[in-house]
Amino acid sequence: MSTSVISPAELADSLRTLRAQTPLVQCLTNIVAAQWTANVLLAAGAAPAMVDNPEEAGVFAGVSSGVLVNTGTPYKETYDAMRVASAAAHSAGTPWVLDPVAAGGLPVRTAFAVEVLANRPMIIRGNASEISGLSGGAGGRGADSTAAPQEVLDLAHELARSTGAVVAVSGAVDHITDGERLVRIHNGHEVMTRVTGVGCSLGGLMAGFAGVSEPLLAASAATALICVAADNAVATSQGPGSFAAALLDQLALVTPEELEEKVRLS
Amino acid sequence: MSTSVISPAELADSLRTLRAQTPLVQCLTNIVAAQWTANVLLAAGAAPAMVDNPEEAGVFAGVSSGVLVNTGTPYKETYDAMRVASAAAHSAGTPWVLDPVAAGGLPVRTAFAVEVLANRPMIIRGNASEISGLSGGAGGRGADSTAAPQEVLDLAHELARSTGAVVAVSGAVDHITDGERLVRIHNGHEVMTRVTGVGCSLGGLMAGFAGVSEPLLAASAATALICVAADNAVATSQGPGSFAAALLDQLALVTPEELEEKVRLS
Amino acid sequence: MSTSVISPAELADSLRTLRAQTPLVQCLTNIVAAQWTANVLLAAGAAPAMVDNPEEAGVFAGVSSGVLVNTGTPYKETYDAMRVASAAAHSAGTPWVLDPVAAGGLPVRTAFAVEVLANRPMIIRGNASEISGLSGGAGGRGADSTAAPQEVLDLAHELARSTGAVVAVSGAVDHITDGERLVRIHNGHEVMTRVTGVGCSLGGLMAGFAGVSEPLLAASAATALICVAADNAVATSQGPGSFAAALLDQLALVTPEELEEKVRLS
């Protein structure tokens, strides 16, 4: 695994820095995942703040360490807030993450996601269908992917090159690319898809890590942390309910040393 | 219990089909129960999607297997989305479930619930006060019922006959009727009322089962599954917090065979 | 500890009354904490109802036992609902609690919180930065406090005297004052800050207790209950996820006698 472009030690350092600095993460996300995303960020060591109204979203993006824009349940007012926040983040140099939930499957939000690409997200995170949909291809079924990351790898590389963003495609094996370099993470477990908002919260974690590390490392560290935490949590849980609680525990308990030891990169 | 109009074996078959087909369930629900409802559906084996804005709700209702309309925290935009989704579901033949939260107690949402009856829900689900309220009678206290299902049974039968919907009244004993046939389910536990959104999520489950079974069976299978899962969960929990996690576990763990064996019908 | 202006026995009596009367608590709160707040109220023994739209909020405030107004994720429509609900509560004599989330840090919501002071909240609850911000001082970092309760004690006393409200400042030691008398509660644990919405739910609990006890006792009983429950929950949990579940369990399990025995007042 020595061939990976990012080393386990770099991931561990990024987690160390996150916990030392507690980055402030502004989340503009959906009503389903808002609580879970805040709890994931708190457990991992970041400070979430859900400022998602148009009057305050821009000011706050200027003082945040990272911003998440997630299109899970968009309304007129939160669309406006996402526009304002992403523009303000771009102006202020605050890294922001775009999670284009259900892009490709629903034309209105696909168009919105394409529109805010102009505000230059540092990371674009989605499942294979969403990355395909954002690139003009077919979408998935609701929020679920109907494809695997490796099937959209060419689209992901192309999207990264055309937008300048790191593109992170989640799935059984997570694929993360900046258009040239590719990081694959082999941890994680199928039960993660049986708890709502795990993917959404990963976008929040990426925004937190982007406040302390460069984008490719940030997206990789966030993914590695939640996947290693999930590996641990599966071992002590009986089903999706106890798994969700154990996952939050593990996000707080996994040490940088443990992350370095357990992450499986290629 | 051999006199029941639905057999335990039919309930087991319905669960088998749900897990085999993973129906896509569009949920237009409240900010309190959205996450919990998604987790209940995922645990049971369905695929939730919370598409609740007016621009996308109609298109999505056309491709969903079932739709939930729940009036827990309605706003102007979500009311519009519920109108669009229920009309589109009716046009497309997608089964949809109406959960008229707090009907009878609050005139605005009572009027809304009565209005969308024109879009022919396949199942109407509520507690006794809500079913009474929707029928023009007295409502309850907030989202809580001040009556028991058996007290509103005549109203439920009448509502079923006048709307063509199956009417499911939750309580210590759940009562489900299509206007002629009556299914009573005797499982479940009082602690279910100490976790917010359990009733709301039952409406979501019914929408999922309605995607794979006829309405009376769908409403019964959803109720039986969550009540048997609750019976199991109570045995391993200390209070409402650990019960909630155990309930999600059990929704995934209960097998069709176990459901058939443990359900108590009359 | 015999010098405290409120006795442990009075706190126990307040909890006894809450559980006997199950006060109906209307919550106008944020999308992050709505589910958690409802679950905290249900576990403790109150009846939550999230009626937060402008058309229904006023009527409902008139029939509720207590009302919570929390500015965590305000939108145009929920701001309107909060105005209507707080005015109606004032008119009807329903006690209401103001939780001015992020006041001081964000001008729009600070102005709103100052505006609704005219509707005479019975309790104002916040962290030290929010109490400072509401008093015209500096705010915190997002929803997090950058000060300790004792640092803003003069401001809290002054705010209590100028508004007629009890002011409750949460922190490592909770400080609660009516402008003359001061109650300090020394229970609780740092992990409470690693679960989102614990502070928000405390505001909801205060609204519930205010339905059965006078404001200084209500704010103290709510704080004591959640802090003693947290002390118990920490003992059986591994991290923030299992702690959250255990906290809900303990809110239901802690008896009035246990509360009286374990609370540490000064």
Side-chain angles (χ1 to χ4, degrees):
Chain A
M1 304 237 173
S2 56
T3 58
S4 170
V5 297
I6 299 246
S7 72
E10 287 172 292
L11 298 176
D13 273 340
S14 185
L15 177 57
R16 232 168 251 125
T17 311
L18 179 96
R19 291 194 177 146
Q21 299 191 3
T22 337
L24 181 61
V25 184
Q26 180 183 8
C27 299
L28 300 100
T29 188
N30 60 77
I31 60 165
V32 186
Q35 183 193 7
W36 175 259
T37 301
N39 277 330
V40 163
L41 284 163
L42 285 169
M50 267 62 185
V51 181
D52 66 347
N53 66 80
E55 294 180 295
E56 298 174 330
V59 176
F60 206 78
V63 301
S64 296
S65 308
V67 177
L68 168 67
V69 169
N70 171 302
T71 62
T73 57
Y75 309 108
K76 285 196 177 63
E77 210 170 340
T78 48
Y79 267 139
D80 282 348
M82 293 182 206
R83 284 187 180 95
V84 168
S86 58
H90 178 43
S91 297
T94 306
W96 73 278
V97 175
L98 174 63
D99 189 338
V101 178
L106 290 163
V108 178
R109 65 181 79 182
T110 307
F112 172 82
V114 169
E115 174 197 332
V116 291
L117 286 179
N119 291 329
R120 306 289 303 265
M122 286 225 180
I123 300 171
I124 300 169
R125 191 217 80 78
N127 60 37
S129 289
E130 290 157 352
I131 297 305
S132 163
L134 189 58
S135 306
R141 198 181 78 134
D144 295 339
S145 189
T146 51
Q150 52 275 24
E151 298 174 49
V152 300
L153 199 51
D154 288 346
L155 288 173
H157 281 308
E158 204 176 292
L159 183 63
R161 282 190 290 260
S162 66
T163 60
V166 161
V167 175
V169 195
S170 56
V173 176
D174 291 274
H175 287 60
I176 304 164
T177 177
D178 63 0
E180 308 212 342
R181 296 174 295 168
L182 175 68
V183 177
R184 283 180 297 198
I185 298 176
H186 300 261
N187 301 78
H189 191 277
E190 183 272 342
V191 73
M192 296 169 83
T193 64
R194 299 292 289 271
V195 176
T196 197
V198 170
C200 297
S201 68
L202 175 52
L205 270 185
M206 288 179 181
F209 277 97
V212 301
S213 296
E214 57 87 13
L216 188 69
L217 176 56
S220 301
T223 305
L225 175 62
I226 206 166
C227 288
V228 167
D231 288 342
N232 288 355
V234 165
T236 64
S237 56
Q238 286 75 51
S242 52
F243 170 76
L247 180 56
L248 291 177
D249 285 353
Q250 288 298 328
L251 284 165
L253 293 172
V254 168
T255 60
E257 292 72 28
E258 189 178 1
L259 182 67
E260 184 173 346
E261 184 194 320
K262 292 190 173 172
V263 68
R264 297 202 306 274
L265 300 169
S266 74
Chain B
M1 305 236 173
S2 56
T3 59
S4 170
V5 297
I6 299 245
S7 71
E10 287 173 293
L11 299 175
D13 273 340
S14 186
L15 178 57
R16 232 169 251 123
T17 312
L18 180 95
R19 291 193 177 147
Q21 299 191 4
T22 336
L24 180 62
V25 185
Q26 179 183 9
C27 299
L28 300 99
T29 189
N30 61 77
I31 60 164
V32 186
Q35 183 194 7
W36 174 258
T37 300
N39 276 330
V40 163
L41 284 164
L42 285 169
M50 269 59 186
V51 180
D52 67 347
N53 67 79
E55 294 179 294
E56 297 174 330
V59 176
F60 207 78
V63 301
S64 296
S65 309
V67 177
L68 167 67
V69 169
N70 171 302
T71 62
T73 56
Y75 310 109
K76 284 194 178 63
E77 209 170 341
T78 48
Y79 267 139
D80 282 348
M82 293 183 207
R83 283 188 181 96
V84 168
S86 57
H90 179 42
S91 298
T94 306
W96 72 278
V97 175
L98 174 64
D99 189 338
V101 179
L106 290 163
V108 178
R109 66 180 77 182
T110 307
F112 172 81
V114 170
E115 174 196 334
V116 291
L117 286 179
N119 291 329
R120 306 291 302 267
M122 285 224 182
I123 299 172
I124 300 169
R125 191 217 78 81
N127 60 38
S129 290
E130 289 157 352
I131 297 306
S132 164
L134 189 58
S135 305
R141 198 181 77 134
D144 295 340
S145 189
T146 52
Q150 52 274 25
E151 298 174 49
V152 300
L153 199 51
D154 288 346
L155 289 173
H157 281 307
E158 205 176 290
L159 184 62
R161 282 190 289 259
S162 67
T163 60
V166 162
V167 175
V169 195
S170 56
V173 176
D174 291 273
H175 287 59
I176 303 164
T177 177
D178 63 1
E180 306 211 344
R181 296 175 295 168
L182 175 68
V183 177
R184 283 179 297 198
I185 297 176
H186 300 262
N187 301 77
H189 191 276
E190 182 272 341
V191 73
M192 295 169 83
T193 64
R194 301 291 289 273
V195 176
T196 199
V198 170
C200 296
S201 68
L202 175 53
L205 270 185
M206 288 180 181
F209 278 97
V212 300
S213 297
E214 57 86 14
L216 188 69
L217 176 56
S220 301
T223 305
L225 175 62
I226 205 167
C227 287
V228 168
D231 287 343
N232 288 355
V234 165
T236 63
S237 57
Q238 287 74 51
S242 52
F243 170 76
L247 180 56
L248 291 177
D249 285 352
Q250 289 297 328
L251 284 165
L253 293 172
V254 168
T255 60
E257 293 72 28
E258 189 179 2
L259 182 68
E260 184 173 347
E261 183 195 322
K262 293 190 174 171
V263 68
R264 297 201 307 274
L265 300 169
S266 74
Chain C
M1 306 237 174
S2 57
T3 58
S4 169
V5 297
I6 298 244
S7 72
E10 287 173 292
L11 299 175
D13 274 340
S14 185
L15 177 57
R16 232 169 252 124
T17 311
L18 179 95
R19 290 193 177 148
Q21 299 191 3
T22 337
L24 181 61
V25 184
Q26 180 183 7
C27 300
L28 300 99
T29 189
N30 60 77
I31 60 165
V32 186
Q35 183 194 7
W36 174 258
T37 301
N39 276 331
V40 163
L41 284 164
L42 285 169
M50 267 61 186
V51 181
D52 67 347
N53 66 80
E55 294 180 293
E56 299 175 330
V59 175
F60 206 78
V63 301
S64 296
S65 308
V67 177
L68 168 67
V69 170
N70 171 301
T71 62
T73 55
Y75 310 108
K76 284 195 177 63
E77 210 170 340
T78 47
Y79 266 139
D80 282 348
M82 293 183 206
R83 284 187 180 96
V84 168
S86 57
H90 179 43
S91 297
T94 305
W96 73 277
V97 175
L98 174 63
D99 189 337
V101 178
L106 290 163
V108 179
R109 64 180 79 182
T110 306
F112 172 82
V114 169
E115 174 197 333
V116 291
L117 286 179
N119 291 329
R120 307 290 301 267
M122 286 224 182
I123 300 171
I124 301 168
R125 191 216 79 78
N127 61 37
S129 289
E130 289 157 352
I131 298 304
S132 164
L134 190 58
S135 305
R141 197 181 81 137
D144 295 339
S145 189
T146 51
Q150 53 273 25
E151 297 174 50
V152 300
L153 199 51
D154 288 346
L155 288 173
H157 281 308
E158 205 176 290
L159 183 63
R161 280 191 291 260
S162 67
T163 60
V166 162
V167 175
V169 195
S170 56
V173 176
D174 291 273
H175 287 61
I176 303 164
T177 177
D178 63 0
E180 307 211 344
R181 296 175 295 169
L182 176 68
V183 177
R184 283 179 297 197
I185 297 175
H186 300 261
N187 301 77
H189 191 277
E190 183 272 342
V191 73
M192 296 169 83
T193 64
R194 299 290 288 273
V195 176
T196 198
V198 170
C200 296
S201 68
L202 176 52
L205 270 185
M206 288 180 181
F209 277 97
V212 301
S213 296
E214 57 86 14
L216 188 69
L217 177 55
S220 300
T223 306
L225 175 62
I226 206 167
C227 287
V228 167
D231 287 343
N232 288 355
V234 165
T236 63
S237 56
Q238 286 74 52
S242 51
F243 170 76
L247 180 56
L248 291 178
D249 284 354
Q250 288 297 329
L251 285 166
L253 293 172
V254 167
T255 60
E257 294 70 31
E258 189 178 1
L259 182 68
E260 184 173 347
E261 184 194 320
K262 292 190 173 171
V263 68
R264 297 200 309 271
L265 300 169
S266 74

